[in-house]
């Protein structure tokens, strides 16, 4: 039996129940041992009156019937007195049977007495058959004496079984009285044998020797029995033996012993008188002794019962006291141990997590108040309590130190991130100036690549800010179109050329959440491109939902197991504490932080037939109508937020007329056919969304590269304003024509299928004075052309109006 996992109360209960049960069993055993002798003493009266007296009467009647039976066998006639004696014997036997079969005697008798009673009853049952043998003279005088002596011997054996009294003196006296009864029985046997010899006129063969043995045994038993009697009874019996009848009978016995033949001058009358007197006086002495034993056993039994009651009550009182003390000590131990356990569980499950949460919120924590000293006594349990008190204080100090360390680590993250952000902003501003000043397509493409790397570097710097628990700080004052937010997120991804923008239904995102939503989508899109095959595509779609707006990002990789999806969704559903040991899932941590900041719900689902779909549920309080395009007649082009978001998505980046540079004369075939001038922006071919598309073509490869002037050709403000107005009008017109062609009944044939390839972009900081980012939207033709598509030209630098912004 393994008791290691038992509760402390069960163990203490077992410790208490074991000794108390053993003590109770010992008390019951001692009480039973003492109570048994008392019952035996009380049963002595039952033995006397239910077996002793009726049995002695049966023995006396059997002795008389035996003498008459021997006399009848010695003579020739039937004695009428024998029939009368048999009737008296039967009456005595019937009375004895009723007592033997009664519940009182059987209930008080032990196993030995029960067996002796059964033997007595069996011997009495055989008496009628023996009488028949006597009546038909099938037995001689010796056989008749043996028949009756056997029944009488069974009675004396039952009398001996009654002598089991707990008091030694009473028991010796009872056995002595039984021995006197046996001596009297031998006197009766000698009388019967002598009566038969007198009637027959002499001894039969062997009768004289038998008579001598009987007389010797009778005298021996009498002397032995008298020695065990109390002094008073012994003196009384001595007076009986000094009487005339005892003296005369002893003299006659001596005469019979000396003569081998029956003496001729034997005084038969003197024998009969002396024998009858001695037999009766001995019987009366036995009955008085038996009554005395029974009377003395009752007070002795009462005294034993009184002592038993006193000892039993004292033992029971001791058991109760021991049980109460054990229960009190056990309950005290259980209560104190339970108190220590409760304090430990409260500290581990409630107090310590609450203190850590308060410390992380920045609250001040008093260790002495949060871990008060608990007194559990001065014993071993008290020492355990004191050790636990010290452990609680150490745990709280460790928690304070850990939170302080985390706070310092967050400050380090934030400091590094802010410094990196500052450097990245300066780098982006420098790149923006270089892009404005550079007109060579190759150099401009390289600058755009550096611009893209800087944009990604800025996102990673914002990751540090988010890890430190602060806000990145990027935002817009006005709503931004959902498609522009998606494009801005794609521009911050390394493998942007693998991302396809599907159907993004019109909607607007509030400016305060644009920066965080772009960052969140960029993290998910980058995960999709990272954990999918390099040749696969990543699809991004958006549609309104019942509770906001949903953006779906689907990759076609191997996917995730159900358990991994459940774990990832659990991490994304709450804003966890940053765990440096779990740096492999840093993107999920950033996404969860950004989602929790704006109430955004992010869920990962299996994609069909393979892959994972990340669903971003933007709440309704972040969604508004899609902002309308700026009017073409507004001075300066677009509003500041529109310009900044346009630079994020490169929707406003168009080529401008370049000044003729020496040595750069191109043949007609090398001229860019879709160069947009001040008035020709709307005449350029359009994408599916109605926007102008520019295709860059190179001249001959062996033509020497001209030296580019350090400064662009000068333009007047009026010229720049007219170019921008024409661009905006053409863009709006192209979008309207594209939408009308897609939905109208007489829509023209669609253009060849193209997939938008988003070049790197750079979202601008809301609170920064640096110029906004710029990106280029190029198109990647999917038509089955035999020759590879020519590389797209790098976008022209921003116009003077953009630079002024």
């Amino acid at each position: 039996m393994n008791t290691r996992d038992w509760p402390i109360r069960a163990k203490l209960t077992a410790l208490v129940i074991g000794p108390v049960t053993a003590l109770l069993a010992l008390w019951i055993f001692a009480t039973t041992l003492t109570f048994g002798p008392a019952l035996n003493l009380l049963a002595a009266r039952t033995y006397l009156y239910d077996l002793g007296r009726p049995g002695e009467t049966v023995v006396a009647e059997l002795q008389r019937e035996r003498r008459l039976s021997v006399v009848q066998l010695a003579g020739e006639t039937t004695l009428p007195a024998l029939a009368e004696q048999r009737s008296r014997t039967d009456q005595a036997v019937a009375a004895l049977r009723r007592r033997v079969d009664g519940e009182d005697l059987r209930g008080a008798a032990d196993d030995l007495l029960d067996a002796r009673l059964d033997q007595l009853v069996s011997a009495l049952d055989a008496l009628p058959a023996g009488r028949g043998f006597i009546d038909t003279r099938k037995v001689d005088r010796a056989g008749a004496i043996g028949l009756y002596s056997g029944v009488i011997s069974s009675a004396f054996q039952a009398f001996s079984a009654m002598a089991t009294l707990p008091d030694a003196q009473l028991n010796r006296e009872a056995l002595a009285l039984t021995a006197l009864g046996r001596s009297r029985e031998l006197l009766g046997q000698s009388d019967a044998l002598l009566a038969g010899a007198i009637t027959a006129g002499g001894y039969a063969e062997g009768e004289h020797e038998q008579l001598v043995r009987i007389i010797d045994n009778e005298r021996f038993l009498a002397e032995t029995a008298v020695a065990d009697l109390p002094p008073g009874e012994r003196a009384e019996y001595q007076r009986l033996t000094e009487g005339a009848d005892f003296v005369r009978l002893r003299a006659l016995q001596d005469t019979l012993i000396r003569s081998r033949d029956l003496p001729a001058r034997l005084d038969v009358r003197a024998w009969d008188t002396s024998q009858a007197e001695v037999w009766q006086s001995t019987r009366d002495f036995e009955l008085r002794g038996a009554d005395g034993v029974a009377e003395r056993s009752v007070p002795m039994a009462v005294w034993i019962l009184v002592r038993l009651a006193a000892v039993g009550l004292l033992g029971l009182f001791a058991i109760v006291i021991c049980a109460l003390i054990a229960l009190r000590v056990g309950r005290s131990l259980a209560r104190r141990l339970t108190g220590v356990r409760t304090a430990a569980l409260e500290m581990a499950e409630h107090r310590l997590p609450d203190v850590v949460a308060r410390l992380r919120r920045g609250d001040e924590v008093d260790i002495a108040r949060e871990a008060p000293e608990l007194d559990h006594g001065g014993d071993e349990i008290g020492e355990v309590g004191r050790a636990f008190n010290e452990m609680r204080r150490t745990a709280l100090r460790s928690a304070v130190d850990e939170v302080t360390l985390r706070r310092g680590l967050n400050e380090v993250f934030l400091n590094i991130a802010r410094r990196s952000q500052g450097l990245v902003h300066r780098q982006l501003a420098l790149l923006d100036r270089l892009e404005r000043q550079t007109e060579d397509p190759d150099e401009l493409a390289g600058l755009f690549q550096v611009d893209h790397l800087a944009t990604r570097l800025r996102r990673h710097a914002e990751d540090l800010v988010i890890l430190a628990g602060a806000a990145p700080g990027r935002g817009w004052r006005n709503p931004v179109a959902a498609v522009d937010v998606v494009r801005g997120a794609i521009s911050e991804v390394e493998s942007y050329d693998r991302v396809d923008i599907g159907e993004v239904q019109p909607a607007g995102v509030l400016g305060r959440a644009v920066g965080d939503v772009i960052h969140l989508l960029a993290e998910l899109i980058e995960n999709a491109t990272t954990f999918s095959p390099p040749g696969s595509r990543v699809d991004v779609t958006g549609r309104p939902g019942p509770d906001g707006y949903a953006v779906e990002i689907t990759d076609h990789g191997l996917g995730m197991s159900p358990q991994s999806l459940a774990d990832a969704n659990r991490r994304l559903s709450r804003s966890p504490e940053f765990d440096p040991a779990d740096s492999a899932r840093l993107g999920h941590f950033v996404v969860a932080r950004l989602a929790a900041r704006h109430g955004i719900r992010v869920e990962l689902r299996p994609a069909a037939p393979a892959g994972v779909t990340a669903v971003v549920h933007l709440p309704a309080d972040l969604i508004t109508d899609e902002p309308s395009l700026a009017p073409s007649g507004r001075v300066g082009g677009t509003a500041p937020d529109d310009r900044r978001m346009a630079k994020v998505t490169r929707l406003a980046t168009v080529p401008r007329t370049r000044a003729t540079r020496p040595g750069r004369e191109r043949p007609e075939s090398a001229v860019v056919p879709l160069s947009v001038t001040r008035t020709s922006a709307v005449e350029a071919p359009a994408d599916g969304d109605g926007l102008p598309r520019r295709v860059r073509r190179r001249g001959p490869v062996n033509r020497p590269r001209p030296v580019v002037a350090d400064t662009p050709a000068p333009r007047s403000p009026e010229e720049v304003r007219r170019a921008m107005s024409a661009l905006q009008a053409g863009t709006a017109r192209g979008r309207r024509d594209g939408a009308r062609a897609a939905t109208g009944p007489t829509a023209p044939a669609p253009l060849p299928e193209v997939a938008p390839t988003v070049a790197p972009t750079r979202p601008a900081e809301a609170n920064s004075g640096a110029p906004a980012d710029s990106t280029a939207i190029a198109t990647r033709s999917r038509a089955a052309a035999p020759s590879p598509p020519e590389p797209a030209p790098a976008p022209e630098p921003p116009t003077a109006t953009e630079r002024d912004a």
Side-chain angles (χ1 to χ4, degrees), residues 165-348:
L165 302 177
D167 186 78
Q169 180 60 34
L170 290 178
N171 202 45
R172 283 196 301 270
E173 187 175 351
L175 290 176
L177 293 174
T178 303
L180 282 177
R182 289 181 177 274
S183 174
R184 183 167 54 85
E185 158 60 13
L186 292 176
L187 180 60
Q189 289 183 17
S190 63
D191 178 62
L193 191 150
L194 184 59
I198 292 172
T199 303
Y203 295 119
E205 184 179 358
E207 286 185 343
H208 182 265
E209 290 80 3
Q210 184 179 3
L211 178 62
V212 173
R213 287 194 302 271
I214 291 174
I215 293 173
D216 290 339
N217 290 335
E218 180 261 331
R219 290 179 178 180
F220 173 77
L221 287 177
E223 292 175 0
T224 306
V226 170
D228 292 332
L229 290 176
E233 296 182 359
R234 187 165 57 246
E236 182 182 357
Y237 184 80
Q238 189 66 29
R239 287 192 296 271
L240 287 178
T241 59
E242 293 174 355
D245 295 327
F246 270 89
V247 172
R248 188 183 305 114
L249 179 63
R250 182 173 291 274
L252 291 175
Q253 288 177 343
D254 291 339
T255 302
L256 292 175
I257 292 173
R258 288 192 298 268
S259 177
R260 295 186 60 86
D261 296 327
L262 187 64
R265 296 192 300 180
L266 178 65
D267 190 352
V268 177
R269 182 178 299 275
W271 170 268
D272 292 338
T273 303
S274 300
Q275 189 272 340
E277 185 64 28
V278 170
W279 185 86
Q280 187 62 41
S281 60
T282 304
R283 181 188 180 197
D284 294 340
F285 180 80
E286 294 173 7
L287 294 177
R288 287 194 304 271
D291 290 339
V293 170
E295 293 298 331
R296 289 197 303 273
S297 67
V298 173
M300 188 175 295
V302 172
W303 172 240
I304 293 176
L305 290 177
V306 170
R307 289 188 303 172
L308 174 63
V311 174
L313 290 177
L314 289 176
L316 185 60
F317 180 74
I319 292 174
V320 172
I321 292 299
C322 292
L324 291 178
I325 292 175
L327 289 176
R328 182 178 180 85
V329 174
R331 290 180 61 184
S332 176
L333 291 175
R335 182 175 63 252
R336 294 171 62 194
L337 291 174
T338 302
V340 174
R341 180 181 66 89
T342 303
L345 291 178
E346 182 183 3
M347 171 58 67

Side-chain angles (χ1 to χ4, degrees), residues 50-71:
D50 288 351
L51 179 59
R53 289 294 180 84
E56 197 280 332
T57 303
V58 170
V59 169
E61 298 298 334
L62 287 174
Q63 289 173 346
R64 295 187 184 98
E65 183 177 345
R66 177 181 57 190
R67 188 177 187 278
L68 293 175
S69 298
V70 172
V71 171

